[in-house]
Amino acid sequence: MSIWEGVNFSHRFSELPSAFFTRVAPQPLDNPRWVVWNRDLALQFGLPRQADDELLNVFAGQREFGSFAPLAMKYAGHQFGVYNPDLGDGRGLLLAEIQHQDGTWFDIHLKGAGLTPYSRMGDGRAVLRSTIREYLCSEAMAGLSIPTTRALGMMDSNTPVYREKMEYGALLIRIAETHIRFGHFEHFFYTNQLAEQTLLADKVIEWYFPECVQTEKPYAAMFEAIVDKTAVMIAFWQAYGFAHGVMNTDNMSILGQTFDYGPFGFLDDYDPNYICNHSDYQGRYAFDQQPRVALWNLSALAHALSPLVEREDLEAALGQFEVRLSQKFSELMRAKLGLHTKVDEDGRLFEAMFELLNQNKTDYTRFFRELSYLDTQAPQAVVDLCIDRDAASAWVDLYLARCELEVDQQGEVVTSEQRCERMRRVNPKYILRNYLAQLAIDKAEIGDFTEINRLAEILKHPFDEHPEFDDYAKLPPEWGKKMEISCSS
Ligand code: AMP
Ligand code: MG
């Protein structure tokens, strides 16, 4: 029986006109071998539980496979605020779409598959360390229920790749509901290809926003939906302490899914000015700038959509961004504190909390996790995370007094056990700290892939206790807090 039996393929993107892409075959990797195969995810698409040589040879470009029609997408985008018309899949290829067991279609995309017409000065390759980071982070985000692309697996090879030092080529098999970015629309707008721009919008509506067809102004409704999904994604990032690092418009998915993992980082100590990208000298993409940048990016998209959508509709949709973001952010933060009812003084409680976290540079993830054990534990563990213990104690008192006012839908008082049990389902014990990713990378670079699998497993269930993995929930070592991650991937 073929390993592909039971897998449904489609080629809807490759049926678009040639202005959308260039057909390119992957450049085979030398001596490829599996690093990880995401078994749970593979099974959801009817793919085999076990990665074998046939899968390896097809994905590594060693063998052609009739159900794949590899192509490099053309797009453009604003990078660090500057428009670049020359972007596109420079090392990525779309192979086909495959159907999830729930009926949804996903793109299968290779990252690191070799040169394309859009490679510019690059070599078309990806290195093992960045591939591992993307794999782990997309699993971590999925575990936290944050909208994200995923990966079916990755492989490494003996193909030499030169970065700051000699490394080896690796390949990520990424899946995502779409690889269409803001930059796709920008490309057709800035090259005055209105027919293609219209076709792109029609396809985006048909494939991803079918509910817009029935509306009076489908293109305006599509943009509103993109604004909404982007706002929700950013609310998740801010609530869970995720910094993306390279929020260029070519890295913004039109479905509001976290996309293109590079020098990302989760907050260790709470620091709103955290800059995870070592090459971001101005702090354009600092943690607390992300909401502002997302709106800037949406405005760039709005500009590109101006031939299709009236100005006032674009402005109205942009005006909804902050409303939607703060609504979702507040919903997520309330859940993190176990507060489901609203009381006038809550604003003050939240303000005081962020002030405390900021002044004490408290570990962001641990703070909420420790608050989730106040049913069985004295507040000491929370207080111990702060240098200013009096201030921490005062805040915890305020918080516990507020919790006493919490009632459920029937008007019954919510017990601390009920509250904490719910909080432990939204406040992760485990997150992908940069140093944990680095330890997995160090082992992988000497051929031991066990740590990647272990870490991915833990991160898939970040709210579970897993006492055997307590070490992974510890505060990071000093060296782990100051890691510099650059774009060179
Ligand atoms: P990124 O910063 O990964 O989002 O990439 C920005 C642009 O550079 C995209 O058009 C990528 O396809 C391209 N690119 C990044 N790395 C490489 C590489 N090693 N070879 C060719 N193109 C690349
Ligand atoms: Mg990119």
PDB file of all heavy atoms in Angstrom, residues 86-120:
ATOM      1  N   ASP A  86      11.412  43.170  -4.434  1.00  0.00           N
ATOM      2  CA  ASP A  86      12.095  41.978  -4.956  1.00  0.00           C
ATOM      3  C   ASP A  86      11.943  40.717  -4.123  1.00  0.00           C
ATOM      4  O   ASP A  86      12.757  39.809  -4.237  1.00  0.00           O
ATOM      5  CB  ASP A  86      13.600  42.275  -5.105  1.00  0.00           C
ATOM      6  CG  ASP A  86      13.834  43.296  -6.187  1.00  0.00           C
ATOM      7  OD1 ASP A  86      13.037  43.301  -7.152  1.00  0.00           O
ATOM      8  OD2 ASP A  86      14.772  44.105  -6.058  1.00  0.00           O
ATOM      9  N   LEU A  87      10.946  40.676  -3.259  1.00  0.00           N
ATOM     10  CA  LEU A  87      10.837  39.490  -2.396  1.00  0.00           C
ATOM     11  C   LEU A  87      10.054  38.378  -3.107  1.00  0.00           C
ATOM     12  O   LEU A  87       9.550  38.559  -4.210  1.00  0.00           O
ATOM     13  CB  LEU A  87      10.171  39.862  -1.078  1.00  0.00           C
ATOM     14  CG  LEU A  87      10.880  40.944  -0.279  1.00  0.00           C
ATOM     15  CD1 LEU A  87      10.084  41.301   0.973  1.00  0.00           C
ATOM     16  CD2 LEU A  87      12.275  40.490   0.106  1.00  0.00           C
ATOM     17  N   GLY A  88       9.956  37.270  -2.430  1.00  0.00           N
ATOM     18  CA  GLY A  88       9.277  36.081  -2.945  1.00  0.00           C
ATOM     19  C   GLY A  88       9.877  34.899  -2.213  1.00  0.00           C
ATOM     20  O   GLY A  88      10.757  35.068  -1.366  1.00  0.00           O
ATOM     21  N   ASP A  89       9.413  33.706  -2.521  1.00  0.00           N
ATOM     22  CA  ASP A  89       9.995  32.520  -1.888  1.00  0.00           C
ATOM     23  C   ASP A  89      11.430  32.365  -2.384  1.00  0.00           C
ATOM     24  O   ASP A  89      11.659  31.843  -3.474  1.00  0.00           O
ATOM     25  CB  ASP A  89       9.212  31.258  -2.259  1.00  0.00           C
ATOM     26  CG  ASP A  89       7.871  31.175  -1.547  1.00  0.00           C
ATOM     27  OD1 ASP A  89       7.735  31.781  -0.468  1.00  0.00           O
ATOM     28  OD2 ASP A  89       6.970  30.490  -2.075  1.00  0.00           O
ATOM     29  N   GLY A  90      12.385  32.804  -1.572  1.00  0.00           N
ATOM     30  CA  GLY A  90      13.787  32.754  -1.986  1.00  0.00           C
ATOM     31  C   GLY A  90      14.429  31.428  -1.628  1.00  0.00           C
ATOM     32  O   GLY A  90      15.495  31.077  -2.132  1.00  0.00           O
ATOM     33  N   ARG A  91      13.793  30.719  -0.718  1.00  0.00           N
ATOM     34  CA  ARG A  91      14.321  29.403  -0.334  1.00  0.00           C
ATOM     35  C   ARG A  91      13.173  28.478   0.040  1.00  0.00           C
ATOM     36  O   ARG A  91      13.369  27.438   0.643  1.00  0.00           O
ATOM     37  CB  ARG A  91      15.266  29.545   0.850  1.00  0.00           C
ATOM     38  CG  ARG A  91      14.619  30.263   2.036  1.00  0.00           C
ATOM     39  CD  ARG A  91      15.487  30.192   3.200  1.00  0.00           C
ATOM     40  NE  ARG A  91      15.074  31.159   4.213  1.00  0.00           N
ATOM     41  CZ  ARG A  91      15.575  31.178   5.408  1.00  0.00           C
ATOM     42  NH1 ARG A  91      16.484  30.297   5.747  1.00  0.00           N
ATOM     43  NH2 ARG A  91      15.178  32.071   6.279  1.00  0.00           N
ATOM     44  N   GLY A  92      11.971  28.923  -0.287  1.00  0.00           N
ATOM     45  CA  GLY A  92      10.790  28.128   0.057  1.00  0.00           C
ATOM     46  C   GLY A  92      10.092  27.693  -1.215  1.00  0.00           C
ATOM     47  O   GLY A  92      10.247  28.319  -2.258  1.00  0.00           O
ATOM     48  N   LEU A  93       9.363  26.599  -1.139  1.00  0.00           N
ATOM     49  CA  LEU A  93       8.561  26.146  -2.276  1.00  0.00           C
ATOM     50  C   LEU A  93       7.226  25.636  -1.771  1.00  0.00           C
ATOM     51  O   LEU A  93       7.170  24.925  -0.768  1.00  0.00           O
ATOM     52  CB  LEU A  93       9.268  25.000  -3.008  1.00  0.00           C
ATOM     53  CG  LEU A  93      10.582  25.301  -3.741  1.00  0.00           C
ATOM     54  CD1 LEU A  93      11.138  24.000  -4.329  1.00  0.00           C
ATOM     55  CD2 LEU A  93      10.379  26.336  -4.842  1.00  0.00           C
ATOM     56  N   LEU A  94       6.186  26.004  -2.497  1.00  0.00           N
ATOM     57  CA  LEU A  94       4.877  25.410  -2.223  1.00  0.00           C
ATOM     58  C   LEU A  94       4.775  24.132  -3.046  1.00  0.00           C
ATOM     59  O   LEU A  94       4.989  24.161  -4.260  1.00  0.00           O
ATOM     60  CB  LEU A  94       3.776  26.403  -2.625  1.00  0.00           C
ATOM     61  CG  LEU A  94       2.350  25.884  -2.483  1.00  0.00           C
ATOM     62  CD1 LEU A  94       1.984  25.691  -1.008  1.00  0.00           C
ATOM     63  CD2 LEU A  94       1.362  26.848  -3.136  1.00  0.00           C
ATOM     64  N   LEU A  95       4.470  23.016  -2.374  1.00  0.00           N
ATOM     65  CA  LEU A  95       4.420  21.729  -3.093  1.00  0.00           C
ATOM     66  C   LEU A  95       3.016  21.379  -3.575  1.00  0.00           C
ATOM     67  O   LEU A  95       2.844  20.845  -4.664  1.00  0.00           O
ATOM     68  CB  LEU A  95       4.897  20.601  -2.176  1.00  0.00           C
ATOM     69  CG  LEU A  95       6.349  20.666  -1.692  1.00  0.00           C
ATOM     70  CD1 LEU A  95       6.644  19.485  -0.784  1.00  0.00           C
ATOM     71  CD2 LEU A  95       7.307  20.667  -2.884  1.00  0.00           C
ATOM     72  N   ALA A  96       2.045  21.638  -2.731  1.00  0.00           N
ATOM     73  CA  ALA A  96       0.657  21.254  -3.027  1.00  0.00           C
ATOM     74  C   ALA A  96      -0.176  21.670  -1.820  1.00  0.00           C
ATOM     75  O   ALA A  96       0.365  22.206  -0.846  1.00  0.00           O
ATOM     76  CB  ALA A  96       0.550  19.735  -3.210  1.00  0.00           C
ATOM     77  N   GLU A  97      -1.470  21.437  -1.898  1.00  0.00           N
ATOM     78  CA  GLU A  97      -2.293  21.565  -0.695  1.00  0.00           C
ATOM     79  C   GLU A  97      -2.720  20.157  -0.269  1.00  0.00           C
ATOM     80  O   GLU A  97      -2.960  19.307  -1.137  1.00  0.00           O
ATOM     81  CB  GLU A  97      -3.541  22.418  -0.960  1.00  0.00           C
ATOM     82  CG  GLU A  97      -3.226  23.872  -1.298  1.00  0.00           C
ATOM     83  CD  GLU A  97      -3.175  24.126  -2.809  1.00  0.00           C
ATOM     84  OE1 GLU A  97      -3.856  23.409  -3.553  1.00  0.00           O
ATOM     85  OE2 GLU A  97      -2.428  25.028  -3.230  1.00  0.00           O
ATOM     86  N   ILE A  98      -2.799  19.928   1.047  1.00  0.00           N
ATOM     87  CA  ILE A  98      -3.309  18.637   1.531  1.00  0.00           C
ATOM     88  C   ILE A  98      -4.461  18.892   2.501  1.00  0.00           C
ATOM     89  O   ILE A  98      -4.510  19.933   3.160  1.00  0.00           O
ATOM     90  CB  ILE A  98      -2.261  17.749   2.253  1.00  0.00           C
ATOM     91  CG1 ILE A  98      -1.448  18.545   3.284  1.00  0.00           C
ATOM     92  CG2 ILE A  98      -1.374  17.049   1.269  1.00  0.00           C
ATOM     93  CD1 ILE A  98      -0.591  17.626   4.150  1.00  0.00           C
ATOM     94  N   GLN A  99      -5.345  17.897   2.564  1.00  0.00           N
ATOM     95  CA  GLN A  99      -6.566  18.092   3.341  1.00  0.00           C
ATOM     96  C   GLN A  99      -6.455  17.487   4.734  1.00  0.00           C
ATOM     97  O   GLN A  99      -6.082  16.327   4.892  1.00  0.00           O
ATOM     98  CB  GLN A  99      -7.749  17.473   2.598  1.00  0.00           C
ATOM     99  CG  GLN A  99      -9.068  18.003   3.094  1.00  0.00           C
ATOM    100  CD  GLN A  99     -10.215  17.544   2.207  1.00  0.00           C
ATOM    101  OE1 GLN A  99     -10.140  16.508   1.558  1.00  0.00           O
ATOM    102  NE2 GLN A  99     -11.287  18.321   2.201  1.00  0.00           N
ATOM    103  N   HIS A 100      -6.783  18.291   5.708  1.00  0.00           N
ATOM    104  CA  HIS A 100      -6.839  17.844   7.099  1.00  0.00           C
ATOM    105  C   HIS A 100      -8.081  16.979   7.283  1.00  0.00           C
ATOM    106  O   HIS A 100      -9.039  17.101   6.521  1.00  0.00           O
ATOM    107  CB  HIS A 100      -6.904  19.083   8.008  1.00  0.00           C
ATOM    108  CG  HIS A 100      -6.764  18.789   9.459  1.00  0.00           C
ATOM    109  ND1 HIS A 100      -7.841  18.544  10.276  1.00  0.00           N
ATOM    110  CD2 HIS A 100      -5.662  18.703  10.249  1.00  0.00           C
ATOM    111  CE1 HIS A 100      -7.410  18.319  11.517  1.00  0.00           C
ATOM    112  NE2 HIS A 100      -6.087  18.406  11.524  1.00  0.00           N
ATOM    113  N   GLN A 101      -8.067  16.139   8.297  1.00  0.00           N
ATOM    114  CA  GLN A 101      -9.220  15.261   8.514  1.00  0.00           C
ATOM    115  C   GLN A 101     -10.506  16.044   8.785  1.00  0.00           C
ATOM    116  O   GLN A 101     -11.602  15.539   8.583  1.00  0.00           O
ATOM    117  CB  GLN A 101      -8.941  14.258   9.639  1.00  0.00           C
ATOM    118  CG  GLN A 101      -8.700  14.910  10.986  1.00  0.00           C
ATOM    119  CD  GLN A 101      -8.081  13.957  12.009  1.00  0.00           C
ATOM    120  OE1 GLN A 101      -7.577  12.897  11.650  1.00  0.00           O
ATOM    121  NE2 GLN A 101      -8.118  14.343  13.278  1.00  0.00           N
ATOM    122  N   ASP A 102     -10.368  17.316   9.221  1.00  0.00           N
ATOM    123  CA  ASP A 102     -11.587  18.111   9.434  1.00  0.00           C
ATOM    124  C   ASP A 102     -12.060  18.802   8.155  1.00  0.00           C
ATOM    125  O   ASP A 102     -13.014  19.582   8.168  1.00  0.00           O
ATOM    126  CB  ASP A 102     -11.387  19.128  10.569  1.00  0.00           C
ATOM    127  CG  ASP A 102     -10.499  20.318  10.170  1.00  0.00           C
ATOM    128  OD1 ASP A 102     -10.092  20.409   8.989  1.00  0.00           O
ATOM    129  OD2 ASP A 102     -10.216  21.160  11.035  1.00  0.00           O
ATOM    130  N   GLY A 103     -11.387  18.527   7.035  1.00  0.00           N
ATOM    131  CA  GLY A 103     -11.827  19.077   5.749  1.00  0.00           C
ATOM    132  C   GLY A 103     -11.050  20.304   5.300  1.00  0.00           C
ATOM    133  O   GLY A 103     -11.076  20.669   4.126  1.00  0.00           O
ATOM    134  N   THR A 104     -10.339  20.969   6.224  1.00  0.00           N
ATOM    135  CA  THR A 104      -9.593  22.182   5.872  1.00  0.00           C
ATOM    136  C   THR A 104      -8.385  21.840   4.991  1.00  0.00           C
ATOM    137  O   THR A 104      -7.699  20.838   5.236  1.00  0.00           O
ATOM    138  CB  THR A 104      -9.052  22.850   7.160  1.00  0.00           C
ATOM    139  OG1 THR A 104     -10.106  22.892   8.102  1.00  0.00           O
ATOM    140  CG2 THR A 104      -8.543  24.254   6.887  1.00  0.00           C
ATOM    141  N   TRP A 105      -8.114  22.708   4.006  1.00  0.00           N
ATOM    142  CA  TRP A 105      -6.931  22.522   3.165  1.00  0.00           C
ATOM    143  C   TRP A 105      -5.751  23.288   3.736  1.00  0.00           C
ATOM    144  O   TRP A 105      -5.909  24.415   4.207  1.00  0.00           O
ATOM    145  CB  TRP A 105      -7.216  23.000   1.735  1.00  0.00           C
ATOM    146  CG  TRP A 105      -8.128  22.085   1.013  1.00  0.00           C
ATOM    147  CD1 TRP A 105      -9.483  22.218   0.885  1.00  0.00           C
ATOM    148  CD2 TRP A 105      -7.775  20.865   0.350  1.00  0.00           C
ATOM    149  NE1 TRP A 105     -10.005  21.154   0.173  1.00  0.00           N
ATOM    150  CE2 TRP A 105      -8.966  20.310  -0.171  1.00  0.00           C
ATOM    151  CE3 TRP A 105      -6.569  20.180   0.148  1.00  0.00           C
ATOM    152  CZ2 TRP A 105      -8.986  19.107  -0.888  1.00  0.00           C
ATOM    153  CZ3 TRP A 105      -6.595  18.984  -0.557  1.00  0.00           C
ATOM    154  CH2 TRP A 105      -7.796  18.461  -1.065  1.00  0.00           C
ATOM    155  N   PHE A 106      -4.591  22.665   3.679  1.00  0.00           N
ATOM    156  CA  PHE A 106      -3.352  23.297   4.151  1.00  0.00           C
ATOM    157  C   PHE A 106      -2.311  23.257   3.038  1.00  0.00           C
ATOM    158  O   PHE A 106      -2.219  22.267   2.312  1.00  0.00           O
ATOM    159  CB  PHE A 106      -2.777  22.541   5.362  1.00  0.00           C
ATOM    160  CG  PHE A 106      -3.475  22.835   6.664  1.00  0.00           C
ATOM    161  CD1 PHE A 106      -4.733  22.321   6.931  1.00  0.00           C
ATOM    162  CD2 PHE A 106      -2.856  23.625   7.628  1.00  0.00           C
ATOM    163  CE1 PHE A 106      -5.373  22.595   8.133  1.00  0.00           C
ATOM    164  CE2 PHE A 106      -3.481  23.904   8.837  1.00  0.00           C
ATOM    165  CZ  PHE A 106      -4.745  23.394   9.085  1.00  0.00           C
ATOM    166  N   ASP A 107      -1.495  24.311   2.964  1.00  0.00           N
ATOM    167  CA  ASP A 107      -0.347  24.298   2.057  1.00  0.00           C
ATOM    168  C   ASP A 107       0.744  23.401   2.649  1.00  0.00           C
ATOM    169  O   ASP A 107       0.996  23.455   3.857  1.00  0.00           O
ATOM    170  CB  ASP A 107       0.304  25.687   1.963  1.00  0.00           C
ATOM    171  CG  ASP A 107      -0.585  26.721   1.293  1.00  0.00           C
ATOM    172  OD1 ASP A 107      -1.632  26.346   0.731  1.00  0.00           O
ATOM    173  OD2 ASP A 107      -0.198  27.910   1.339  1.00  0.00           O
ATOM    174  N   ILE A 108       1.412  22.620   1.794  1.00  0.00           N
ATOM    175  CA  ILE A 108       2.672  22.000   2.234  1.00  0.00           C
ATOM    176  C   ILE A 108       3.779  22.817   1.578  1.00  0.00           C
ATOM    177  O   ILE A 108       3.790  22.988   0.350  1.00  0.00           O
ATOM    178  CB  ILE A 108       2.927  20.575   1.732  1.00  0.00           C
ATOM    179  CG1 ILE A 108       1.704  19.719   1.803  1.00  0.00           C
ATOM    180  CG2 ILE A 108       4.078  19.944   2.499  1.00  0.00           C
ATOM    181  CD1 ILE A 108       2.047  18.254   1.460  1.00  0.00           C
ATOM    182  N   HIS A 109       4.691  23.283   2.413  1.00  0.00           N
ATOM    183  CA  HIS A 109       5.720  24.201   1.938  1.00  0.00           C
ATOM    184  C   HIS A 109       7.070  23.721   2.461  1.00  0.00           C
ATOM    185  O   HIS A 109       7.173  23.305   3.608  1.00  0.00           O
ATOM    186  CB  HIS A 109       5.356  25.590   2.488  1.00  0.00           C
ATOM    187  CG  HIS A 109       6.386  26.657   2.300  1.00  0.00           C
ATOM    188  ND1 HIS A 109       6.250  27.656   1.360  1.00  0.00           N
ATOM    189  CD2 HIS A 109       7.531  26.919   2.959  1.00  0.00           C
ATOM    190  CE1 HIS A 109       7.284  28.482   1.446  1.00  0.00           C
ATOM    191  NE2 HIS A 109       8.082  28.052   2.405  1.00  0.00           N
ATOM    192  N   LEU A 110       8.070  23.762   1.590  1.00  0.00           N
ATOM    193  CA  LEU A 110       9.421  23.414   2.035  1.00  0.00           C
ATOM    194  C   LEU A 110      10.187  24.690   2.314  1.00  0.00           C
ATOM    195  O   LEU A 110      10.160  25.615   1.500  1.00  0.00           O
ATOM    196  CB  LEU A 110      10.162  22.644   0.942  1.00  0.00           C
ATOM    197  CG  LEU A 110       9.605  21.301   0.502  1.00  0.00           C
ATOM    198  CD1 LEU A 110      10.540  20.688  -0.543  1.00  0.00           C
ATOM    199  CD2 LEU A 110       9.446  20.366   1.699  1.00  0.00           C
ATOM    200  N   LYS A 111      10.869  24.750   3.442  1.00  0.00           N
ATOM    201  CA  LYS A 111      11.710  25.915   3.712  1.00  0.00           C
ATOM    202  C   LYS A 111      13.155  25.441   3.720  1.00  0.00           C
ATOM    203  O   LYS A 111      13.526  24.614   4.557  1.00  0.00           O
ATOM    204  CB  LYS A 111      11.323  26.520   5.070  1.00  0.00           C
ATOM    205  CG  LYS A 111      11.980  27.849   5.355  1.00  0.00           C
ATOM    206  CD  LYS A 111      11.306  28.542   6.522  1.00  0.00           C
ATOM    207  CE  LYS A 111      12.029  29.825   6.891  1.00  0.00           C
ATOM    208  NZ  LYS A 111      11.369  30.496   8.024  1.00  0.00           N
ATOM    209  N   GLY A 112      13.928  25.939   2.742  1.00  0.00           N
ATOM    210  CA  GLY A 112      15.332  25.524   2.639  1.00  0.00           C
ATOM    211  C   GLY A 112      15.585  24.623   1.443  1.00  0.00           C
ATOM    212  O   GLY A 112      16.558  23.867   1.414  1.00  0.00           O
ATOM    213  N   ALA A 113      14.694  24.728   0.406  1.00  0.00           N
ATOM    214  CA  ALA A 113      14.733  23.762  -0.706  1.00  0.00           C
ATOM    215  C   ALA A 113      15.622  24.183  -1.868  1.00  0.00           C
ATOM    216  O   ALA A 113      15.595  23.560  -2.921  1.00  0.00           O
ATOM    217  CB  ALA A 113      13.321  23.498  -1.212  1.00  0.00           C
ATOM    218  N   GLY A 114      16.382  25.268  -1.714  1.00  0.00           N
ATOM    219  CA  GLY A 114      17.314  25.643  -2.779  1.00  0.00           C
ATOM    220  C   GLY A 114      16.926  26.928  -3.482  1.00  0.00           C
ATOM    221  O   GLY A 114      15.964  27.598  -3.115  1.00  0.00           O
ATOM    222  N   LEU A 115      17.727  27.253  -4.513  1.00  0.00           N
ATOM    223  CA  LEU A 115      17.585  28.549  -5.186  1.00  0.00           C
ATOM    224  C   LEU A 115      16.286  28.661  -5.973  1.00  0.00           C
ATOM    225  O   LEU A 115      15.783  27.670  -6.511  1.00  0.00           O
ATOM    226  CB  LEU A 115      18.766  28.752  -6.142  1.00  0.00           C
ATOM    227  CG  LEU A 115      20.122  28.935  -5.457  1.00  0.00           C
ATOM    228  CD1 LEU A 115      21.244  28.901  -6.488  1.00  0.00           C
ATOM    229  CD2 LEU A 115      20.152  30.249  -4.670  1.00  0.00           C
ATOM    230  N   THR A 116      15.765  29.870  -6.035  1.00  0.00           N
ATOM    231  CA  THR A 116      14.596  30.197  -6.852  1.00  0.00           C
ATOM    232  C   THR A 116      14.896  31.546  -7.531  1.00  0.00           C
ATOM    233  O   THR A 116      15.881  32.204  -7.181  1.00  0.00           O
ATOM    234  CB  THR A 116      13.326  30.355  -5.983  1.00  0.00           C
ATOM    235  OG1 THR A 116      13.337  31.664  -5.409  1.00  0.00           O
ATOM    236  CG2 THR A 116      13.211  29.310  -4.888  1.00  0.00           C
ATOM    237  N   PRO A 117      14.051  31.983  -8.437  1.00  0.00           N
ATOM    238  CA  PRO A 117      14.303  33.294  -9.060  1.00  0.00           C
ATOM    239  C   PRO A 117      14.238  34.440  -8.043  1.00  0.00           C
ATOM    240  O   PRO A 117      14.614  35.568  -8.365  1.00  0.00           O
ATOM    241  CB  PRO A 117      13.160  33.428 -10.074  1.00  0.00           C
ATOM    242  CG  PRO A 117      12.675  32.043 -10.312  1.00  0.00           C
ATOM    243  CD  PRO A 117      12.917  31.285  -9.051  1.00  0.00           C
ATOM    244  N   TYR A 118      13.740  34.176  -6.839  1.00  0.00           N
ATOM    245  CA  TYR A 118      13.612  35.249  -5.835  1.00  0.00           C
ATOM    246  C   TYR A 118      14.671  35.145  -4.738  1.00  0.00           C
ATOM    247  O   TYR A 118      14.526  35.750  -3.675  1.00  0.00           O
ATOM    248  CB  TYR A 118      12.193  35.223  -5.219  1.00  0.00           C
ATOM    249  CG  TYR A 118      11.116  35.010  -6.257  1.00  0.00           C
ATOM    250  CD1 TYR A 118      10.283  33.894  -6.227  1.00  0.00           C
ATOM    251  CD2 TYR A 118      10.964  35.908  -7.317  1.00  0.00           C
ATOM    252  CE1 TYR A 118       9.317  33.680  -7.198  1.00  0.00           C
ATOM    253  CE2 TYR A 118      10.003  35.700  -8.310  1.00  0.00           C
ATOM    254  CZ  TYR A 118       9.192  34.585  -8.244  1.00  0.00           C
ATOM    255  OH  TYR A 118       8.251  34.372  -9.223  1.00  0.00           O
ATOM    256  N   SER A 119      15.718  34.377  -4.997  1.00  0.00           N
ATOM    257  CA  SER A 119      16.723  34.167  -3.939  1.00  0.00           C
ATOM    258  C   SER A 119      17.632  35.377  -3.730  1.00  0.00           C
ATOM    259  O   SER A 119      18.335  35.447  -2.726  1.00  0.00           O
ATOM    260  CB  SER A 119      17.595  32.949  -4.261  1.00  0.00           C
ATOM    261  OG  SER A 119      16.831  31.783  -4.333  1.00  0.00           O
ATOM    262  N   ARG A 120      17.626  36.316  -4.666  1.00  0.00           N
ATOM    263  CA  ARG A 120      18.513  37.483  -4.589  1.00  0.00           C
ATOM    264  C   ARG A 120      19.938  37.043  -4.247  1.00  0.00           C
ATOM    265  O   ARG A 120      20.506  36.209  -4.911  1.00  0.00           O
ATOM    266  CB  ARG A 120      17.971  38.507  -3.572  1.00  0.00           C
ATOM    267  CG  ARG A 120      16.614  39.076  -3.991  1.00  0.00           C
ATOM    268  CD  ARG A 120      16.058  39.988  -2.943  1.00  0.00           C
ATOM    269  NE  ARG A 120      15.742  39.261  -1.736  1.00  0.00           N
ATOM    270  CZ  ARG A 120      15.720  39.777  -0.518  1.00  0.00           C
ATOM    271  NH1 ARG A 120      16.015  41.041  -0.342  1.00  0.00           N
ATOM    272  NH2 ARG A 120      15.404  39.048   0.528  1.00  0.00           N
TER     273      ARG A 120
END
